Amino acid sequence: MFAKLPLKLTAPFGLLTDEAKLAFRSKPEGISKLVSTRHIPENDSYWDQYFTLFDTPSDVFALISPHDIRRAFLDAPENVATLVRVVTSRLFNLVSDHTFPVQQTTASVTSYASSLIKAATAARNPTKEVLNCIRILQRVLPVIFEVEGESNAFELEVLWKKVQTDSESGLQVNEPQFVIEDEDDHSEHEAASSQSVEMKAKTKQTLPSLGEKLFRCIMDLLFCCGFTLPTKIQVDHYKINYVIWEKGVGSTVDPGPNAQYDSNKVEVLRLLLVLFSRQIYIPPASLFSKPSFYTLHMVRKTPRRDVLTLLCSLLNTILNSSTPNNLTIASVAGKVPYNHLVFKGEDSRIALVGMCLQVLCVLLDFQSGPAKDVVSGNDENTMSMPTAQTNAFRYFLAKLHRTQDFAFILDGITSILDQQLAASNIILPGSRRSIPYIPETIILFWKMIELNKKFRAYVLDSDKVVDVLAYLFCYGLEIKDKPQQHGLCRSLSYIVQTLSAEPAFGNKLYLPVKVSLPTKWSTPGTAADFMITSIYSMVATTSGAMTSLYPALIIALSNVAPYFKNLSIVSSNRLIQLLTSFANPRFLLSDESHPRLLFLMLEVFNSVIFHHLSDNPNLLYAIIMAHKTFQDLGTFTLASGLWEIRQAEFIREERTRHEDSNRKSNLGETDIEAGDVEAEKARLLRNESHRMESSREGAPDDEDVEATSTPSRKSEKARGKMRERSESSETTSSAELLASAGVGRSGFVPTQEWVASWQQGLPLDTVMLVISELLPKIQSSQLGGQKAPTAGEVIDFLRTVSLVGVLPPVPPLHPRKFTWSDASMVWLTSLVWGEIYVHGMSPLGIWSSTNVRLFFVKHTNSQPRQIAGTMSHVVGELFSPARQRPEFP
C-alpha cells in the first residue's frame, strides 16, 4: 500500500508549503488573469483551480480580495460573469453527481493512508469542490452587490435572465421541484399550465433563471444526506431528503450532533445570508421601493414544503442549543473557566446556531416591495398581517398554535438568556464567554410575540413572563454604557412597551423575580419594583446618551401603572426622581419632545391614585413630600424656567470659583447634564434663602413658598399668577428669546407660547387634589400632637386613606401599543444587518472593504485581534432623533 506513495507530496494535501496557493496570488495564471485577460472562455482550464486549490474558507477570503473582484468587475466584467456561470454550473453538476457527497469513513490507519494517497495523486473530491464553489460565491457576490448599488443590470443579465428554448430535455428534471405543494404561487401554476399547452402546440418553454436554480440547489444542499444530514435517513439512492434537522417543532426525531455536518450547514447558510445581504447596499430611502430579488424569491417563491422544513429546522437548531443532551468535547470544555482564552478554535455548534438565528431574523424581518404585510381594518383598528403570498416564513410562523410548541420555544429562548445572565453574574470576572448570539435571540423573541398572537398570549399567561422581563432588563443594563449597543437597547425598550400594553402583563407584576440577579441590579419587592428601578437606571445613569429610549420606557410605565400594588420605598422614590428629572427646566426646555415625558410620568401617578390608592402608601408619601415639584409645574412659565436655569448656573460658577482645590464640583455638572438633578436641587434649596434678595429679577413671588401651607387655596392664586407671568413674558419676550436660544438643542428655541401649549394640558388636577386633601391632615397632626409623627406612622395613616367621592370618576384604560412605521422598519432592518455585519468581520470579513449603504459604519483604531471592538457604532442613529421619535396616540 505504501509503495504507491509518490516521491513528492503535492500542495493540495495541505501539510507542506502551498506553492500553488502562493502562485495564485503572484503568477499571471492566478487571480491577476481575471483582470488582465479579456473574455476568458467558459471551457478554459483556468477556472479549474478555483474548485481544487482552496482547502478552507479562510483560503478563499485570503487569496481573493474584494479589490481583485472590484478591478475585474470594472475592467473585465465579462470575466466576472463567466466566473459566476462556471462556478454555479459546476455546483449544479456536482450536486446531481452520484459521487457527491464523499462518504465519511471511520478513523483508521488504512483510511488515513487511503486519504493520503488520494490527496497526493490529486484525486477528485466532490465535497471539497462543492464547498469551494460555495465559498467563491460568498466572496464574489458582495463585491458585485456593492458595485451595482441601486442598479441591477448585471444581476438581471447573469442571474435572473430566463432563457427560452424549444428543447424539452433538461426541463423535466427541474420543473417538479418548483411546483411541488406550492399551492399559493400563481406564477408556477401558470408555468405548469403553459407546459401542458406546449404538448399540444410546439411553443417555446422558459427555463428557470440561474438565480432560481441556485436557490433550488442551496435548498437541496441543506437537506442532503451525507453532506448536511446523516446517511442513515437516506431512502434508496435519493440523497435529497427534506426532513427537519432536529427534534422540536414539527419533529420528534433527533439524529444527533455531527461537527462535519454542522460545518457544512454553516457554509451553505452563509451563502444564503450573502445572497440576502443585497439589501445592505441599498440606501434606506430605497429599501422598500427596490427590494432584494434574492430575499424576495426566498420568501415568495419557495415551495410550501421547503418553507416549513427550513423554518422548523432553523427554529429547532436554535432552541436546542442550550439543552445538554449530547456531551461533546466543546460542551465539556465550555464549562472550564477561561477556556475561551485557551482554545481559540471556533465551535461548529455555536457557529451553526448563530448562523441559523441570523438567517431566520432576516427572513422574518423582510417586508420590502410586494413582501410587505397586508393591512386590514378601519382607520381606528388597523392591523397588518403576512400572507403566504407576501412572506411565507412570517406567515407560517404566525400559524404555529400547539401548546407544546409554544412551551418548547419559550423554554429555549429563556435558556439562552439565562446562560447569558449566568455568564455575566459569575464570581470570576470574564471566566466564561458571553453568548455571541444574544441580540439575534432577542429579535427572534420580538418577532415571535409580534407575529404570533397565540404565542404572545401564552407568554403573558405564563409566570415566565417575569423571568423574560428580568432577562431583558439585565441585558439592557449590561450594555447601556456601550454606544455600539444602543440600537439593541432601543429594541429592548420597544419589546417592553409591546408587553406592557397587554393587561395580562400588568396582572403578573405582583409576582417576585425568581431569576438569580446580579447584586448590583437586584432590588427588593416585586417585578413592578424591579421594572421601575431598572428603567430609572437606564434613564438616570446614561448621561442623556439614550434619549431616544425614554419615550418607550416611560410609556411602558404608564401602561402598567394601573396594576402597581405595594410599591416599595425605593421604587416609589425612583418614580419621584424620574418626575423631578423630567421637570428640570434645563431638560424641559431643551427639546420639543421632552414635555411629553413629563406628561407620561404624571399619568403614572394618576393611574396609581385612581386604581390602587390605599395599596401604595409609600408612593403616596413620596408624592406628598414632593408636593412643591407638582405645585411648581402648575405655575411653570418660560420666565421661571430660565430663572431657575440661571440660578443653577450661578451656583455652579460660584462653587467652581471658591472651590478650585476640590475637583468634585465636576460631578455636579455631570449630574445636571444627565438630567438627574436631585443633588443639585438639594444644594439649590439650601442656598436659595440668602440668594433670593440679590437675584429678584424674574424670580417668582414669595407667595409661592407661603402657599405651600395652604394648598386648598393655591389653585386660584396659582392661576392668577400664571396669567400675570404670561402677560409679563410678552412684554419681555426679546430678553427671554435671547436667553432661551442657548437652552434648546439642535436649533430649537423655546417660547412662552410653546410652554403654554403643553403646560396647560399637564394632568396635574388629580395629583394636586390628593395633595390638597392629605397634606393639611399630615401638617395638622404635626402641629397639634405632642410629638411629630414618624414616617412609619404617616404611611400607616395613608394606608387607610379613601378618597371616594373626592376624586373624579376613574377614566378608561387606553394602553399605548408600539406601532410600526416605515422609519421603524428601516431602523430594525439596519439593526439586524448591523449585528450580522459585525459578526461577519471575524474570522472571514465577509462584507469588509465594501461600501455598505444601509447603515453607517465607523471604525476605530483598536487591537488587530479585537475584531468585535473595532466597531464603535453601526446603527445607533440611522435617523435624526426627531425622525426616530415614535408617534404617540
Side-chain angles (χ1 to χ4, degrees):
M1 179 181 66
F2 293 98
K4 297 181 181 179
L5 285 175
L7 297 178
K8 181 181 179 181
L9 296 177
T10 57
F13 182 56
L15 292 180
L16 303 181
T17 56
D18 290 341
E19 295 89 352
K21 294 179 182 179
L22 297 176
F24 183 77
R25 290 294 308 169
S26 58
K27 293 187 177 180
E29 290 297 320
I31 188 65
S32 60
K33 184 176 180 179
L34 200 64
V35 182
S36 59
T37 304
R38 299 293 300 269
H39 302 285
I40 305 176
E42 292 186 10
N43 57 357
D44 196 297
S45 60
Y46 165 75
W47 306 111
D48 294 338
Q49 59 187 326
Y50 287 90
F51 312 125
T52 59
L53 178 62
F54 313 109
D55 298 314
T56 63
S58 300
D59 289 345
V60 176
F61 282 80
L63 297 177
I64 303 177
S65 68
H67 178 68
D68 298 327
I69 305 300
R70 193 178 295 109
R71 280 188 58 199
F73 190 79
L74 296 175
D75 298 341
E78 71 282 353
N79 288 343
V80 178
T82 304
L83 176 61
V84 173
R85 293 192 182 100
V86 169
V87 170
T88 52
S89 177
R90 177 68 68 95
L91 180 62
F92 301 154
N93 293 333
L94 286 170
V95 172
S96 60
D97 193 276
H98 70 281
T99 61
F100 172 80
V102 177
Q103 299 299 323
Q104 294 182 348
T105 58
T106 58
S108 63
V109 176
T110 305
S111 63
Y112 285 128
S114 301
S115 64
L116 182 65
I117 295 172
K118 290 182 180 179
T121 56
R124 282 195 60 189
N125 186 343
T127 300
K128 175 183 175 181
E129 293 185 21
V130 166
L131 291 173
N132 281 336
C133 290
I134 293 172
R135 296 159 184 167
I136 294 295
L137 292 175
Q138 293 171 9
R139 193 48 158 166
V140 173
L141 289 176
V143 181
I144 295 176
F145 298 157
E146 175 215 23
V147 179
E148 284 275 274
E150 295 187 58
S151 173
N152 299 314
F154 182 86
E155 300 164 68
L156 289 174
E157 177 65 26
V158 177
L159 292 171
W160 296 105
K161 183 179 180 180
K162 295 187 177 183
V163 180
Q164 291 184 343
T165 179
D166 292 329
S167 176
E168 297 181 6
S169 61
L171 181 62
Q172 300 297 329
V173 176
N174 295 328
E175 187 66 24
Q177 293 183 346
F178 282 86
V179 298
I180 185 168
E181 298 184 23
D182 196 4
E183 302 173 356
D184 299 321
D185 195 345
H186 299 290
S187 62
E188 299 298 339
H189 284 296
E190 294 174 2
S193 62
S194 65
Q195 180 181 356
S196 62
V197 173
E198 182 197 3
M199 298 181 66
K200 299 179 180 180
K202 299 296 182 179
T203 58
K204 290 186 177 182
Q205 294 179 349
T206 302
L207 296 176
S209 65
L210 191 63
E212 292 173 328
K213 293 180 181 178
L214 181 59
F215 273 100
R216 182 72 266 160
C217 181
I218 290 174
M219 291 298 296
D220 287 344
L221 285 173
L222 288 174
F223 300 94
C224 180
C225 297
F227 185 69
T228 51
L229 290 177
T231 54
K232 62 183 180 181
I233 65 174
Q234 181 172 334
V235 180
D236 296 333
H237 63 282
Y238 299 103
K239 58 186 174 185
I240 307 300
N241 191 0
Y242 279 82
V243 297
I244 299 174
W245 293 345
E246 300 183 13
K247 67 177 181 180
V249 179
S251 176
T252 58
V253 179
D254 190 2
N258 187 296
Q260 186 58 51
Y261 294 156
D262 290 348
S263 178
N264 293 340
K265 289 175 186 176
V266 170
E267 298 263 16
V268 181
L269 289 174
R270 187 185 295 125
L271 175 58
L272 199 59
L273 201 61
V274 166
L275 291 170
F276 296 159
S277 69
R278 179 63 178 91
Q279 58 186 7
I280 72 175
Y281 298 99
I282 299 175
S286 305
L287 189 62
F288 295 113
S289 59
K290 296 183 178 179
S292 167
F293 290 147
Y294 310 90
T295 319
L296 206 60
H297 177 85
M298 188 70 181
V299 302
R300 300 184 75 237
K301 301 297 183 181
T302 306
R304 179 176 181 270
R305 177 204 62 181
D306 300 359
V307 170
L308 291 173
T309 309
L310 181 59
L311 178 63
C312 294
S313 297
L314 296 176
L315 270 177
N316 295 348
T317 303
I318 295 165
L319 301 173
N320 283 324
S321 61
S322 58
T323 56
N325 293 335
N326 302 290
L327 291 178
T328 61
I329 295 177
S331 63
V332 174
K335 299 179 181 180
V336 179
Y338 301 104
N339 72 299
H340 59 284
L341 301 179
V342 179
F343 303 100
K344 294 294 185 179
E346 183 182 27
D347 187 354
S348 60
R349 188 64 183 177
I350 293 178
L352 176 61
V353 174
M355 195 63 65
C356 290
L357 271 166
Q358 293 173 11
V359 171
L360 188 56
C361 286
V362 169
L363 291 172
L364 297 178
D365 174 70
F366 186 73
Q367 285 196 75
S368 298
K372 198 168 186 179
D373 291 352
V374 177
V375 180
S376 61
N378 51 30
D379 295 337
E380 296 181 357
N381 298 317
T382 59
M383 59 180 299
S384 59
M385 288 298 295
T387 65
Q389 290 77 27
T390 57
N391 187 328
F393 289 89
R394 289 172 61 89
Y395 174 75
F396 287 114
L397 187 76
K399 290 299 180 180
L400 295 178
H401 61 278
R402 297 195 307 172
T403 304
Q404 56 267 37
D405 291 341
F406 292 159
F408 173 72
I409 294 172
L410 183 59
D411 290 343
I413 291 176
T414 53
S415 296
I416 295 174
L417 297 176
D418 184 69
Q419 285 183 348
Q420 173 60 29
L421 183 61
S424 60
N425 185 21
I426 196 168
I427 298 177
L428 299 174
S431 62
R432 187 178 299 180
R433 175 186 294 176
S434 62
I435 308 299
Y437 41 80
I438 288 296
E440 293 86 353
T441 304
I442 292 174
I443 293 173
L444 174 62
F445 175 75
W446 191 5
K447 289 300 176 183
M448 283 295 306
I449 62 175
E450 172 203 348
L451 293 172
N452 198 306
K453 295 181 179 179
K454 294 181 179 179
F455 176 76
R456 182 169 68 238
Y458 175 84
V459 173
L460 294 172
D461 291 338
S462 170
D463 290 346
K464 282 194 174 183
V465 68
V466 176
D467 298 340
V468 172
L469 181 71
Y471 292 135
L472 295 179
F473 272 122
C474 284
Y475 189 69
L477 292 170
E478 182 182 351
I479 64 175
K480 64 182 175 61
D481 297 323
K482 302 176 182 178
Q484 68 271 24
Q485 296 289 346
H486 284 180
L488 185 59
C489 286
R490 189 177 171 191
S491 66
L492 290 172
S493 67
Y494 291 156
I495 295 174
V496 174
Q497 181 184 349
T498 301
L499 294 174
S500 68
E502 303 292 338
F505 179 79
N507 291 327
K508 294 289 185 179
L509 291 180
Y510 73 92
L511 297 173
V513 178
K514 298 180 181 180
V515 175
S516 179
L517 301 175
T519 305
K520 56 184 177 180
W521 298 328
S522 62
T523 181
T526 63
D529 296 314
F530 174 75
M531 180 179 179
I532 293 171
T533 54
S534 299
I535 290 177
Y536 171 82
S537 298
M538 297 187 74
V539 171
T541 63
T542 53
S543 301
M546 297 195 302
T547 54
S548 60
L549 275 67
Y550 296 174
L553 293 175
I554 304 306
I555 286 175
L557 284 180
S558 178
N559 288 341
V560 299
Y563 308 95
F564 286 162
K565 290 183 179 180
N566 301 316
L567 293 180
S568 65
I569 297 176
V570 175
S571 58
S572 299
N573 289 330
R574 292 296 186 234
L575 289 176
I576 296 296
Q577 289 170 352
L578 282 174
L579 174 74
T580 306
S581 298
F582 294 148
N584 180 20
R586 182 177 294 277
F587 181 82
L588 269 179
L589 301 177
S590 62
D591 191 90
E592 190 176 4
S593 65
H594 288 173
R596 185 65 181 176
L597 299 174
L598 181 61
F599 182 93
L600 293 170
M601 282 305 304
L602 291 173
E603 279 195 346
V604 171
F605 297 113
N606 290 343
S607 297
V608 174
I609 291 172
F610 277 123
H611 295 88
H612 297 289
L613 178 67
S614 58
D615 292 333
N616 292 283
N618 293 321
L619 182 59
L620 269 183
Y621 182 77
I623 290 175
I624 294 173
M625 292 298 100
H627 61 89
K628 191 177 185 305
T629 302
F630 294 97
Q631 293 166 351
D632 289 345
L633 287 175
T635 59
F636 185 85
T637 61
L638 180 62
S640 62
L642 294 176
W643 174 82
E644 191 168 348
I645 293 174
R646 287 197 299 268
Q647 283 293 102
E649 292 176 349
F650 175 79
I651 294 173
R652 187 169 62 249
E653 292 173 358
E654 186 179 75
R655 186 192 305 114
T656 303
R657 185 170 59 252
H658 289 87
E659 301 178 4
D660 290 336
S661 60
N662 186 1
R663 300 303 179 184
K664 292 183 179 181
S665 60
N666 295 330
L667 298 176
E669 297 177 8
T670 304
D671 289 341
I672 294 179
E673 294 298 327
D676 182 14
V677 294
E678 282 300 306
E680 186 62 30
K681 277 287 213 174
R683 287 188 291 269
L684 175 60
L685 292 175
R686 286 197 302 267
N687 293 278
E688 187 174 5
S689 59
H690 67 272
R691 303 190 191 281
M692 188 69 71
E693 296 299 328
S694 60
S695 304
R696 292 293 295 173
E697 285 191 32
D701 297 336
D702 292 338
E703 294 177 357
D704 285 351
V705 180
E706 296 172 357
T708 58
S709 61
T710 57
S712 60
R713 302 195 304 270
K714 180 176 177 65
S715 58
E716 296 182 1
K717 299 174 71 174
R719 294 191 184 96
K721 285 183 290 185
M722 188 166 55
R723 287 193 294 269
E724 291 177 4
R725 287 173 179 167
S726 62
E727 293 172 0
S728 63
S729 65
E730 294 176 358
T731 60
T732 59
S733 59
S734 60
E736 291 175 357
L737 286 176
L738 183 61
S740 60
V743 176
R745 300 175 183 173
S746 303
F748 173 69
V749 179
T751 62
Q752 175 57 35
E753 291 77 10
W754 171 76
V755 171
S757 66
W758 56 261
Q759 191 272 341
Q760 295 175 2
L762 291 177
L764 284 166
D765 293 343
T766 303
V767 179
M768 295 303 298
L769 186 59
V770 171
I771 293 175
S772 64
E773 286 290 326
L774 300 180
L775 182 60
K777 296 179 181 179
I778 296 176
Q779 291 176 338
S780 62
S781 63
Q782 292 176 348
L783 296 176
Q786 297 295 329
K787 64 176 183 177
T790 62
E793 294 173 346
V794 174
I795 291 176
D796 292 337
F797 164 72
L798 295 176
R799 190 174 283 111
T800 62
V801 164
S802 176
L803 298 181
V804 178
V806 178
L807 295 175
V810 179
L813 297 178
H814 294 291
R816 296 175 175 86
K817 299 182 179 181
F818 175 76
T819 56
W820 289 98
S821 63
D822 288 347
S824 59
M825 286 191 289
V826 172
W827 163 79
L828 182 60
T829 300
S830 66
L831 175 64
V832 171
W833 277 109
E835 294 290 341
I836 295 174
Y837 181 93
V838 173
H839 288 308
M841 293 182 67
S842 174
L844 299 179
I846 303 173
W847 298 278
S848 300
S849 303
T850 60
N851 183 22
V852 177
R853 298 178 178 87
L854 180 61
F855 48 83
F856 174 70
V857 180
K858 182 180 179 182
H859 298 266
T860 58
N861 295 326
S862 182
Q863 296 295 328
R865 290 186 178 272
Q866 295 176 353
I867 303 297
T870 61
M871 300 292 298
S872 67
H873 187 68
V874 174
V875 196
E877 298 295 332
L878 179 61
F879 301 105
S880 64
R883 294 183 62 182
Q884 294 188 36
R885 189 178 305 119
E887 297 180 0
F888 296 94

